[in-house]
Amino acid sequence: MASLDEPFTVGDLVVPNRIVMAPMTRMKSPGGVPGQDVAEYYALRAAHQVGLIITEGTYVDRAAAGAYEDVPHFYGERSLAGWADVVRQVHRAGGRIIPQLWHTGVVRPGTEPPAEGPSGLGLDGSPAGRAMTQQDIDDTVAAFTEAAVAAERLGFDGIELHGAHGYLIDDFLWSGTNRRTDRYGGDPASRARFGAEIVQAIRAAVAPGFPVFFRLSQWKVNRYDARTAESPAELERLLAPLADAGVDAFHASTRRYWQPEFEGSDLNLAGWVRRLSGRATVTVGSVGLDRQYGEGLFTEGFTRPAGLTGIEELVARLGRDEFDLVAVGRTLLANPDWAAKALRGELAQTVPYDPAVLKTLA
């Protein structure tokens, strides 16, 4: 029976407990440079016993990677110096931290340079941006690899690839945006090839024990009904090339961690990924919240299933080895000490999440 306070090992990374800070875009890094406030923001959660911090998405060195202002970069002397300070402060506070490496793909708005994706299609199926050439693909694989190498050099404890929510790697995984007829499109294994090539290149460039996490999802930005895999069999065919390439842990993003992913089983997405891939998994989705993630960011009138209070159901699923780690998002913004209180059984002392906390880093 695994428990929240039990250590977990991924590669050379030993996480002191099962609580992970989920990546949350904060847009508080002017010019792409994370400052002292960013370092203090992450270090505060580390000091309050978050086992592993996954940073907000941070752009790789590709002209079309970015879509939003003041999101940190993971390239350039000033940005990397800022990240080096983040790592120092988190480690000084006793924490572990990995950056999430990000290319926004077809979600990028209609600016120059144009969005790029597998087939020049947006999440709604209409024309958007341009289809990537083989040279574009090769250069993007190199950009992700260079970022991973930089992360290891700066002292990060691993990296996470953002392969979820309709961003670039997910654009290749999903048949809704990937209509290619070359080796990167078609069957699930071919759609996974782009992501697998990134993982393989990173695996060859970093130390063997430097862990590679991979975030995936069914839902996309403003497309909560989207499904990358319609069945366990299709999911398995997508996961196999990624696992074979060297993914150490999959981070399965859902809106509600307690909901079954496929008919005939109570397993959530992280549970299915763990069963099908044989890799460690991270679950996420409305942990510790009284409101769910939904259209317009929040849906009022949120109710949990009967008998589901606090994190009892979460801990029970962890104890059944459905997943290995638990990512907590917005409740950690309202309660920097949520992890410490969860480990002490003091969650009654936490405060409800309020969107007002998004205005500042605190």
Side-chain angles (χ1 to χ4, degrees), residues 13 97-99 148 151-152 155-160 210-213:
L13 169 62
I97 185 169
I98 66 176
E152 185 177 36
F156 279 92
D157 300 294
I159 59 101
E160 176 170 279
F210 189 71
V212 175
F213 287 62

Side-chain angles (χ1 to χ4, degrees), residues 10-280:
V10 182
D12 288 342
L13 169 62
V14 179
V15 184
N17 61 59
R18 304 303 179 96
I19 301 172
V20 175
M21 182 176 181
M24 291 173 282
T25 299
R26 300 307 312 275
M27 292 183 283
K28 305 294 185 185
S29 297
V33 180
Q36 178 67 19
D37 56 345
V38 175
E40 292 174 355
Y41 159 77
Y42 286 120
L44 179 61
R45 275 78 188 168
H48 286 295
Q49 295 182 262
V50 170
L52 174 65
I53 291 168
I54 305 177
T55 75
E56 62 209 283
T58 178
Y59 297 145
V60 298
D61 189 7
R62 178 79 181 161
Y68 315 106
E69 292 294 328
D70 297 332
V71 168
H73 299 168
F74 214 82
Y75 61 89
E77 184 176 348
R78 292 182 61 230
S79 294
L80 293 180
W83 282 119
D85 187 48
V86 172
V87 173
R88 281 193 296 269
Q89 294 202 38
V90 167
H91 284 171
R92 190 179 303 134
R96 317 288 191 276
I97 185 169
I98 66 176
Q100 186 187 74
L101 307 180
W102 191 20
H103 186 309
T104 59
V106 302
V107 174
R108 179 178 170 82
T111 56
E112 288 298 326
E116 57 185 6
S119 304
L121 297 174
L123 299 182
D124 61 359
S126 64
R130 63 182 186 85
M132 296 173 72
T133 66
Q134 184 64 56
Q135 188 62 59
D136 293 329
I137 289 172
D138 293 345
D139 290 347
T140 303
V141 170
F144 274 101
T145 305
E146 289 165 6
V149 169
E152 185 177 36
R153 183 176 70 248
L154 295 176
F156 279 92
D157 300 294
I159 59 101
E160 176 170 279
L161 298 172
H162 199 334
H165 306 161
Y167 299 117
L168 183 64
I169 299 174
D170 192 28
D171 294 332
F172 277 83
L173 293 174
W174 187 37
S175 61
T177 41
N178 186 346
R179 307 290 175 80
R180 298 177 75 102
T181 57
D182 62 4
R183 65 197 188 104
Y184 295 99
D187 63 273
S190 297
R191 300 199 308 270
R193 188 185 305 275
F194 174 63
E197 287 185 354
I198 294 173
V199 175
Q200 189 173 33
I202 291 172
R203 190 78 278 155
V206 299
F210 189 71
V212 175
F213 287 62
F214 188 102
R215 197 176 211 207
L216 53 83
S217 70
Q218 297 271 36
W219 65 274
K220 321 300 174 192
V221 175
N222 296 324
R223 288 292 307 274
Y224 300 111
D225 60 341
R227 295 184 67 79
T228 306
E230 295 290 348
S231 67
E234 184 178 10
L235 180 59
E236 184 172 23
R237 291 194 294 271
L238 284 165
L239 293 171
L242 298 166
D244 291 345
V247 169
D248 296 287
F250 287 100
H251 183 179
S253 177
T254 60
R255 294 167 63 204
R256 309 171 186 92
Y257 75 81
W258 58 87
Q259 288 194 328
E261 191 57 44
F262 299 109
E263 290 185 7
S265 170
D266 290 335
L267 290 177
N268 70 7
L269 182 59
W272 274 108
V273 170
R274 190 179 191 273
R275 174 182 290 185
L276 296 171
S277 71
R279 297 295 188 268

